[in-house]
Coordinates of all heavy atoms in Angstrom, one line a residue:
M457 N 103.4 -187.0 30.4 CA 103.7 -187.9 31.5 C 103.5 -187.3 32.8 O 102.9 -187.9 33.7 CB 105.1 -188.5 31.3 CG 105.5 -189.5 32.3 SD 104.5 -191.0 32.0 CE 105.2 -192.1 33.2
K458 N 103.9 -186.0 33.0 CA 103.8 -185.4 34.3 C 102.3 -185.1 34.5 O 101.9 -185.1 35.7 CB 104.5 -184.1 34.3 CG 106.0 -184.3 34.3 CD 106.8 -183.0 34.4 CE 108.3 -183.2 34.4 NZ 109.0 -182.0 34.5
N459 N 101.5 -184.8 33.5 CA 100.1 -184.6 33.7 C 99.4 -185.8 34.2 O 98.5 -185.8 35.0 CB 99.4 -184.1 32.4 CG 99.8 -182.6 32.1 OD1 100.1 -181.9 33.0 ND2 99.7 -182.3 30.8
A460 N 99.8 -187.0 33.6 CA 99.2 -188.2 34.1 C 99.5 -188.5 35.5 O 98.6 -189.0 36.3 CB 99.7 -189.4 33.2
I461 N 100.7 -188.2 36.0 CA 101.0 -188.3 37.4 C 100.2 -187.4 38.3 O 99.7 -187.8 39.3 CB 102.6 -188.1 37.6 CG1 103.3 -189.2 36.8 CG2 102.9 -188.1 39.1 CD1 104.8 -189.0 36.8
K462 N 100.1 -186.2 37.8 CA 99.3 -185.2 38.6 C 97.8 -185.7 38.7 O 97.2 -185.6 39.8 CB 99.3 -183.8 37.9 CG 100.6 -183.2 38.1 CD 100.6 -181.8 37.4 CE 102.0 -181.2 37.3 NZ 101.9 -179.9 36.6
I463 N 97.3 -186.1 37.6 CA 95.9 -186.6 37.6 C 95.7 -187.8 38.5 O 94.7 -187.9 39.2 CB 95.4 -186.8 36.2 CG1 95.3 -185.5 35.4 CG2 94.0 -187.6 36.1 CD1 95.0 -185.6 33.9
T464 N 96.6 -188.7 38.4 CA 96.6 -189.9 39.2 C 96.7 -189.5 40.7 O 96.0 -190.1 41.5 CB 97.7 -190.9 38.9 OG1 97.6 -191.2 37.5 CG2 97.6 -192.2 39.7
A465 N 97.5 -188.6 41.0 CA 97.6 -188.2 42.4 C 96.4 -187.5 42.9 O 95.9 -187.8 44.0 CB 98.8 -187.2 42.6
I466 N 95.7 -186.7 42.1 CA 94.5 -186.0 42.5 C 93.4 -187.1 42.7 O 92.6 -187.0 43.7 CB 94.1 -185.0 41.4 CG1 95.1 -183.8 41.4 CG2 92.6 -184.5 41.6 CD1 94.9 -182.8 40.3
V467 N 93.3 -188.0 41.8 CA 92.2 -189.1 41.9 C 92.5 -189.9 43.2 O 91.6 -190.2 43.9 CB 92.2 -190.0 40.6 CG1 91.4 -191.2 40.9 CG2 91.7 -189.2 39.4
G468 N 93.7 -190.2 43.4 CA 94.0 -191.0 44.6 C 93.7 -190.2 45.9 O 93.1 -190.8 46.9
L469 N 94.0 -188.9 45.9 CA 93.7 -188.1 47.1 C 92.2 -188.0 47.3 O 91.8 -188.0 48.5 CB 94.4 -186.7 47.0 CG 95.9 -186.7 47.2 CD1 96.4 -185.3 46.8 CD2 96.3 -187.1 48.6
V470 N 91.5 -187.8 46.3 CA 90.0 -187.6 46.4 C 89.4 -189.0 46.9 O 88.6 -189.0 47.7 CB 89.4 -187.2 45.1 CG1 87.9 -187.3 45.1 CG2 89.8 -185.7 44.8
L471 N 89.9 -190.1 46.3 CA 89.4 -191.4 46.7 C 89.7 -191.7 48.2 O 88.8 -192.0 48.9 CB 90.1 -192.4 45.8 CG 89.6 -193.9 46.0 CD1 88.1 -194.0 45.6 CD2 90.4 -194.8 45.1
V472 N 90.9 -191.5 48.6 CA 91.3 -191.7 50.0 C 90.5 -190.8 50.9 O 90.0 -191.2 52.0 CB 92.8 -191.6 50.2 CG1 93.2 -191.7 51.7 CG2 93.5 -192.8 49.4
G473 N 90.5 -189.5 50.5 CA 89.8 -188.5 51.4 C 88.3 -188.9 51.5 O 87.7 -188.7 52.6
S474 N 87.6 -189.3 50.5 CA 86.2 -189.6 50.6 C 86.0 -190.8 51.4 O 85.0 -190.9 52.2 CB 85.6 -189.8 49.2 OG 86.2 -190.9 48.5
I475 N 86.9 -191.8 51.3 CA 86.7 -193.0 52.2 C 86.9 -192.6 53.6 O 86.2 -193.1 54.5 CB 87.7 -194.1 51.7 CG1 87.3 -194.6 50.3 CG2 87.8 -195.2 52.7 CD1 88.3 -195.6 49.7
L476 N 87.9 -191.8 53.9 CA 88.2 -191.4 55.3 C 87.0 -190.6 55.9 O 86.6 -190.8 57.0 CB 89.5 -190.7 55.4 CG 90.8 -191.5 55.2 CD1 92.0 -190.6 55.2 CD2 90.9 -192.6 56.2
L477 N 86.5 -189.7 55.1 CA 85.4 -188.9 55.6 C 84.2 -189.7 55.7 O 83.4 -189.5 56.7 CB 85.2 -187.7 54.6 CG 86.2 -186.6 54.7 CD1 85.9 -185.5 53.6 CD2 86.3 -186.0 56.0
A478 N 83.9 -190.6 54.8 CA 82.7 -191.5 55.0 C 82.8 -192.4 56.2 O 81.9 -192.6 56.9 CB 82.6 -192.3 53.7
S479 N 84.0 -192.9 56.5 CA 84.2 -193.8 57.6 C 84.1 -192.9 58.9 O 83.6 -193.4 59.9 CB 85.5 -194.5 57.6 OG 86.6 -193.6 57.6
Y480 N 84.6 -191.7 58.9 CA 84.5 -190.8 60.0 C 83.0 -190.4 60.3 O 82.7 -190.3 61.5 CB 85.3 -189.5 59.8 CG 85.3 -188.6 60.9 CD1 86.0 -188.8 62.1 CD2 84.6 -187.4 60.8 CE1 86.0 -187.9 63.1 CE2 84.6 -186.5 61.8 CZ 85.3 -186.7 63.0 OH 85.2 -185.9 64.0
A481 N 82.2 -190.3 59.3 CA 80.9 -189.9 59.5 C 80.0 -191.1 59.9 O 78.8 -190.9 60.2 CB 80.3 -189.3 58.2
G482 N 80.5 -192.3 59.8 CA 79.8 -193.4 60.3 C 79.0 -194.0 59.1 O 78.1 -194.9 59.4
I483 N 79.2 -193.7 57.9 CA 78.5 -194.2 56.8 C 79.0 -195.6 56.5 O 78.2 -196.5 56.2 CB 78.6 -193.3 55.5 CG1 78.0 -192.0 55.8 CG2 78.0 -194.0 54.3 CD1 78.3 -190.9 54.7
I484 N 80.3 -195.8 56.6 CA 80.8 -197.1 56.3 C 81.0 -197.9 57.6 O 81.7 -197.4 58.5 CB 82.2 -197.0 55.5 CG1 82.0 -196.3 54.2 CG2 82.8 -198.4 55.3 CD1 83.3 -196.1 53.5
H485 N 80.5 -199.1 57.7 CA 80.8 -199.9 58.8 C 82.0 -200.8 58.6 O 82.3 -201.1 57.4 CB 79.5 -200.8 59.1 CG 78.3 -200.0 59.3 ND1 78.1 -199.3 60.4 CD2 77.2 -199.9 58.5 CE1 76.9 -198.7 60.4 NE2 76.3 -199.0 59.2
V486 N 82.7 -201.1 59.6 CA 84.0 -201.8 59.5 C 83.8 -203.1 58.7 O 84.7 -203.4 57.9 CB 84.6 -202.1 60.9 CG1 85.9 -202.9 60.7 CG2 84.8 -200.8 61.6
G487 N 82.8 -203.9 58.9 CA 82.7 -205.2 58.2 C 82.0 -205.2 56.9 O 81.8 -206.2 56.3
S488 N 81.7 -204.0 56.3 CA 80.9 -204.0 55.1 C 81.9 -203.6 53.9 O 82.1 -202.4 53.7 CB 79.8 -202.9 55.2 OG 79.1 -202.8 54.0
W489 N 82.4 -204.6 53.2 CA 83.2 -204.3 52.1 C 82.4 -203.8 50.9 O 83.0 -203.0 50.1 CB 84.0 -205.6 51.7 CG 85.1 -205.9 52.6 CD1 85.2 -206.7 53.6 CD2 86.4 -205.2 52.5 NE1 86.4 -206.6 54.2 CE2 87.2 -205.8 53.5 CE3 87.0 -204.3 51.6 CZ2 88.5 -205.4 53.7 CZ3 88.3 -203.9 51.8 CH2 89.0 -204.5 52.9
G490 N 81.2 -204.2 50.8 CA 80.4 -203.8 49.6 C 80.1 -202.3 49.7 O 80.3 -201.6 48.6
A491 N 79.9 -201.7 50.9 CA 79.6 -200.3 51.0 C 80.9 -199.5 50.7 O 80.9 -198.5 50.1 CB 79.1 -200.0 52.3
T492 N 82.1 -200.1 51.2 CA 83.3 -199.4 51.0 C 83.7 -199.4 49.5 O 84.1 -198.3 48.9 CB 84.5 -200.2 51.7 OG1 84.1 -200.2 53.1 CG2 85.8 -199.5 51.5
L493 N 83.5 -200.5 48.8 CA 83.8 -200.5 47.4 C 82.8 -199.6 46.6 O 83.2 -199.0 45.6 CB 83.7 -202.0 46.8 CG 84.8 -202.9 47.3 CD1 84.5 -204.3 46.8 CD2 86.1 -202.4 46.8
F494 N 81.6 -199.6 47.0 CA 80.6 -198.8 46.3 C 80.9 -197.3 46.4 O 80.9 -196.5 45.4 CB 79.2 -199.1 46.8 CG 78.1 -198.2 46.2 CD1 77.7 -198.4 44.9 CD2 77.5 -197.2 46.9 CE1 76.8 -197.6 44.3 CE2 76.5 -196.4 46.3 CZ 76.1 -196.6 45.0
L495 N 81.2 -196.9 47.7 CA 81.6 -195.5 47.9 C 82.9 -195.1 47.2 O 83.1 -194.0 46.7 CB 81.6 -195.2 49.4 CG 80.2 -195.1 50.0 CD1 80.4 -194.9 51.5 CD2 79.4 -194.0 49.4
S496 N 83.8 -196.1 47.2 CA 85.1 -195.8 46.5 C 84.9 -195.6 45.0 O 85.5 -194.8 44.4 CB 86.0 -197.0 46.7 OG 86.3 -197.1 48.1
F497 N 84.0 -196.4 44.4 CA 83.7 -196.3 43.0 C 83.0 -195.0 42.7 O 83.3 -194.3 41.7 CB 82.8 -197.5 42.6 CG 82.4 -197.5 41.1 CD1 83.3 -197.7 40.2 CD2 81.1 -197.2 40.8 CE1 83.0 -197.7 38.8 CE2 80.7 -197.2 39.4 CZ 81.7 -197.4 38.5
L498 N 82.1 -194.6 43.6 CA 81.4 -193.3 43.4 C 82.5 -192.1 43.5 O 82.4 -191.1 42.7 CB 80.3 -193.1 44.4 CG 79.1 -193.9 44.2 CD1 78.1 -193.6 45.3 CD2 78.5 -193.6 42.9
A499 N 83.4 -192.2 44.4 CA 84.4 -191.2 44.6 C 85.3 -191.2 43.4 O 85.7 -190.1 42.9 CB 85.2 -191.5 45.8
L500 N 85.6 -192.3 42.8 CA 86.4 -192.4 41.6 C 85.7 -191.7 40.4 O 86.3 -190.9 39.7 CB 86.8 -193.8 41.2 CG 87.6 -194.0 40.0 CD1 89.0 -193.4 40.3 CD2 87.8 -195.5 39.7
I501 N 84.4 -191.9 40.3 CA 83.7 -191.3 39.2 C 83.6 -189.8 39.4 O 83.9 -189.0 38.4 CB 82.2 -191.9 39.2 CG1 82.2 -193.3 38.7 CG2 81.3 -191.0 38.3 CD1 80.9 -194.0 38.8
I502 N 83.4 -189.3 40.6 CA 83.4 -187.9 40.9 C 84.8 -187.3 40.6 O 84.9 -186.2 40.0 CB 82.9 -187.6 42.3 CG1 81.4 -188.0 42.4 CG2 83.2 -186.2 42.7 CD1 80.9 -188.0 43.8
A503 N 85.8 -187.9 41.0 CA 87.2 -187.4 40.8 C 87.5 -187.3 39.3 O 88.1 -186.4 38.9 CB 88.2 -188.3 41.5
C504 N 87.1 -188.3 38.6 CA 87.3 -188.3 37.1 C 86.5 -187.2 36.4 O 86.9 -186.8 35.4 CB 87.0 -189.7 36.5 SG 88.2 -190.9 37.0
Q505 N 85.5 -186.8 37.0 CA 84.7 -185.7 36.4 C 85.2 -184.3 36.9 O 85.0 -183.3 36.2 CB 83.2 -185.9 36.7 CG 82.6 -187.0 36.0 CD 81.1 -187.2 36.3 OE1 80.6 -186.5 37.1 NE2 80.5 -188.2 35.7
V506 N 85.7 -184.3 38.1 CA 86.1 -183.0 38.6 C 87.4 -182.5 37.9 O 87.5 -181.3 37.7 CB 86.4 -183.1 40.2 CG1 87.1 -181.9 40.7 CG2 85.0 -183.2 40.9
V507 N 88.3 -183.3 37.6 CA 89.6 -182.9 37.0 C 89.4 -182.2 35.7 O 89.8 -181.1 35.5 CB 90.6 -184.1 37.0 CG1 91.8 -183.7 36.2 CG2 91.0 -184.5 38.3
P508 N 88.6 -182.8 34.7 CA 88.4 -182.1 33.5 C 87.6 -180.8 33.7 O 87.8 -179.8 33.0 CB 87.7 -183.1 32.6 CG 87.9 -184.4 33.2 CD 88.2 -184.2 34.6
A509 N 86.7 -180.9 34.6 CA 85.8 -179.7 34.8 C 86.7 -178.5 35.3 O 86.5 -177.4 34.9 CB 84.7 -180.0 35.8
L510 N 87.6 -178.8 36.2 CA 88.5 -177.7 36.7 C 89.4 -177.2 35.6 O 89.7 -176.0 35.6 CB 89.3 -178.2 37.9 CG 88.6 -178.5 39.2 CD1 89.5 -179.1 40.2 CD2 88.0 -177.2 39.7
M511 N 89.9 -178.1 34.7 CA 90.7 -177.7 33.6 C 89.9 -176.8 32.7 O 90.4 -175.7 32.2 CB 91.2 -178.9 32.9 CG 92.2 -179.7 33.7 SD 92.7 -181.3 33.0 CE 93.3 -180.8 31.3
I512 N 88.7 -177.1 32.4 CA 87.8 -176.3 31.5 C 87.5 -175.0 32.2 O 87.5 -173.9 31.5 CB 86.6 -177.1 31.1 CG1 86.9 -178.2 30.2 CG2 85.5 -176.1 30.5 CD1 85.7 -179.1 29.9
F513 N 87.3 -175.0 33.5 CA 87.0 -173.8 34.2 C 88.2 -172.8 34.2 O 88.1 -171.6 34.0 CB 86.6 -174.1 35.6 CG 86.2 -172.9 36.4 CD1 85.0 -172.2 36.1 CD2 87.0 -172.4 37.5 CE1 84.6 -171.1 36.9 CE2 86.6 -171.3 38.2 CZ 85.4 -170.7 37.9
G514 N 89.4 -173.4 34.3 CA 90.7 -172.6 34.2 C 90.8 -172.0 32.9 O 91.2 -170.8 32.8
V515 N 90.5 -172.7 31.8 CA 90.6 -172.1 30.4 C 89.6 -171.0 30.3 O 89.8 -170.0 29.7 CB 90.4 -173.2 29.4 CG1 90.3 -172.7 28.0 CG2 91.6 -174.2 29.4
L516 N 88.4 -171.3 30.8 CA 87.3 -170.2 30.8 C 87.8 -168.9 31.4 O 87.6 -167.8 30.9 CB 86.1 -170.8 31.4 CG 84.9 -169.7 31.5 CD1 84.2 -169.6 30.2 CD2 83.9 -170.2 32.6
L517 N 88.3 -169.1 32.6 CA 88.8 -167.9 33.3 C 90.0 -167.2 32.6 O 90.0 -166.0 32.5 CB 89.3 -168.2 34.8 CG 88.2 -168.6 35.7 CD1 88.8 -169.0 37.1 CD2 87.2 -167.5 35.9
K518 N 90.8 -168.0 32.0 CA 91.9 -167.4 31.3 C 91.4 -166.6 30.1 O 91.9 -165.5 29.8 CB 92.8 -168.6 30.8 CG 94.0 -168.1 30.0 CD 94.8 -169.3 29.5 CE 95.8 -168.9 28.4 NZ 96.5 -170.1 27.9
E519 N 90.4 -167.2 29.4 CA 89.9 -166.5 28.2 C 89.1 -165.2 28.6 O 89.1 -164.3 27.9 CB 89.0 -167.4 27.4 CG 89.8 -168.5 26.7 CD 90.8 -167.9 25.7 OE1 90.5 -167.0 25.0 OE2 92.0 -168.5 25.6
V520 N 88.4 -165.3 29.7 CA 87.6 -164.1 30.1 C 88.5 -163.0 30.5 O 88.2 -161.8 30.2 CB 86.7 -164.5 31.3 CG1 86.1 -163.3 32.0 CG2 85.6 -165.5 30.8
F521 N 89.6 -163.3 31.3 CA 90.4 -162.2 31.7 C 91.6 -161.9 30.9 O 92.4 -161.0 31.1 CB 90.9 -162.5 33.2 CG 89.8 -162.5 34.2 CD1 89.4 -163.7 34.7 CD2 89.1 -161.4 34.5 CE1 88.3 -163.7 35.7 CE2 88.1 -161.4 35.4 CZ 87.7 -162.6 36.0
H522 N 91.7 -162.6 29.8 CA 92.8 -162.4 28.8 C 92.4 -161.3 27.8 O 91.3 -161.4 27.2 CB 93.2 -163.6 28.1 CG 94.3 -163.5 27.2 ND1 95.6 -163.3 27.6 CD2 94.4 -163.5 25.8 CE1 96.4 -163.2 26.6 NE2 95.7 -163.3 25.5
P523 N 93.1 -160.2 27.6 CA 92.7 -159.2 26.7 C 92.7 -159.7 25.3 O 93.6 -160.4 24.9 CB 93.7 -158.0 26.9 CG 94.9 -158.7 27.5 CD 94.4 -159.9 28.3
S524 N 91.7 -159.3 24.5 CA 91.6 -159.8 23.1 C 92.6 -159.0 22.3 O 93.2 -158.0 22.7 CB 90.2 -159.6 22.6 OG 89.9 -158.3 22.5
A525 N 92.7 -159.3 21.0 CA 93.6 -158.6 20.1 C 93.2 -157.2 19.8 O 94.0 -156.3 19.6 CB 93.7 -159.4 18.7
K526 N 91.9 -156.9 19.8 CA 91.3 -155.6 19.6 C 91.7 -154.7 20.8 O 92.1 -153.5 20.6 CB 89.8 -155.6 19.5 CG 89.3 -156.3 18.2 CD 87.8 -156.2 18.2 CE 87.3 -157.0 16.9 NZ 85.9 -157.0 16.9
E527 N 91.7 -155.2 22.0 CA 92.0 -154.4 23.2 C 93.5 -154.1 23.2 O 94.0 -153.1 23.8 CB 91.6 -155.1 24.5 CG 90.1 -155.2 24.6 CD 89.7 -156.0 25.8 OE1 90.6 -156.5 26.5 OE2 88.5 -156.2 26.0
K528 N 94.4 -155.0 22.7 CA 95.8 -154.8 22.7 C 96.2 -153.8 21.6 O 97.3 -153.3 21.6 CB 96.5 -156.1 22.5 CG 96.5 -157.1 23.6 CD 97.3 -158.3 23.3 CE 97.2 -159.3 24.4 NZ 98.0 -160.5 24.0
G529 N 95.4 -153.6 20.6 CA 95.7 -152.8 19.5 C 96.5 -153.5 18.4 O 97.1 -152.9 17.6
E530 N 96.5 -154.8 18.5 CA 97.1 -155.6 17.4 C 96.2 -155.9 16.3 O 95.0 -156.1 16.6 CB 97.7 -156.9 18.0 CG 98.7 -156.7 19.1 CD 99.1 -158.0 19.8 OE1 98.5 -159.0 19.4 OE2 99.9 -157.9 20.7
A531 N 96.7 -155.9 15.1 CA 95.9 -156.3 14.0 C 96.2 -157.7 13.6 O 97.3 -158.1 13.5 CB 96.1 -155.4 12.8
R532 N 95.1 -158.5 13.5 CA 95.3 -159.9 13.0 C 95.3 -160.0 11.5 O 94.3 -159.5 10.9 CB 94.2 -160.8 13.6 CG 94.4 -161.1 15.1 CD 93.4 -162.1 15.5 NE 93.7 -162.6 16.8 CZ 93.1 -163.5 17.5 NH1 92.1 -164.2 16.9 NH2 93.4 -163.8 18.7
V533 N 96.3 -160.5 11.0 CA 96.4 -160.6 9.5 C 96.3 -162.1 9.2 O 97.0 -162.9 9.7 CB 97.8 -160.1 9.0 CG1 97.8 -160.3 7.5 CG2 98.0 -158.7 9.4
P534 N 95.3 -162.4 8.3 CA 95.1 -163.9 8.0 C 96.3 -164.3 7.2 O 96.8 -163.6 6.3 CB 93.8 -163.9 7.2 CG 93.6 -162.5 6.7 CD 94.2 -161.6 7.7
A535 N 96.7 -165.5 7.4 CA 97.8 -166.1 6.7 C 97.3 -166.5 5.3 O 96.3 -167.2 5.2 CB 98.3 -167.3 7.4
G536 N 98.0 -166.1 4.3 CA 97.6 -166.5 2.9 C 98.8 -166.5 2.0 O 100.0 -166.4 2.5
D537 N 98.6 -166.6 0.7 CA 99.7 -166.7 -0.2 C 100.1 -165.3 -0.7 O 101.0 -165.2 -1.4 CB 99.3 -167.6 -1.4 CG 98.1 -167.1 -2.1 OD1 97.5 -166.1 -1.7 OD2 97.7 -167.8 -3.1
G538 N 99.4 -164.3 -0.3 CA 99.8 -162.9 -0.6 C 99.2 -162.4 -1.9 O 99.7 -161.3 -2.4
N539 N 98.3 -163.0 -2.5 CA 97.7 -162.6 -3.8 C 96.6 -161.6 -3.6 O 95.8 -161.5 -2.9 CB 97.3 -163.7 -4.6 CG 98.4 -164.5 -5.2 OD1 99.5 -164.0 -5.3 ND2 98.2 -165.8 -5.4

């Protein structure tokens, strides 16, 4: 539940930020609802792709910098029935 709230907050911030920056840059005109909706939709698509990409990148960094079992000197024993 907390992850869903975090993701929703991130998507909302990216969406609002992109609309504000687009209007600041003069891309969106005040009377054009179509352009506003279109850019909002694009921002939502980008935000939905950025969140999983950042999560995968974090896992990648964790695995790259995490020492493996060989480097720790631990022996991995496969789980079995002992025969």
Side-chain angles (χ1 to χ4, degrees):
M457 184 67 173
K458 289 183 181 182
N459 287 336
I461 294 171
K462 289 179 186 177
I463 291 172
T464 305
I466 291 171
V467 169
L469 287 174
V470 170
L471 183 64
V472 170
S474 64
I475 291 171
L476 290 175
L477 289 176
S479 64
Y480 180 71
I483 296 172
I484 298 176
H485 301 289
V486 175
S488 176
W489 281 98
T492 304
L493 290 174
F494 178 71
L495 288 176
S496 301
F497 180 70
L498 288 179
L500 180 66
I501 290 173
I502 291 171
C504 289
Q505 292 178 357
V506 165
V507 171
L510 289 175
M511 291 170 56
I512 291 173
F513 186 67
V515 171
L516 173 77
L517 289 177
K518 179 182 167 185
E519 291 298 321
V520 166
F521 294 110
H522 183 71
S524 66
K526 290 180 183 178
E527 293 174 0
K528 288 182 181 177
E530 299 174 358
R532 287 191 169 182
V533 179
D537 57 359
N539 290 334

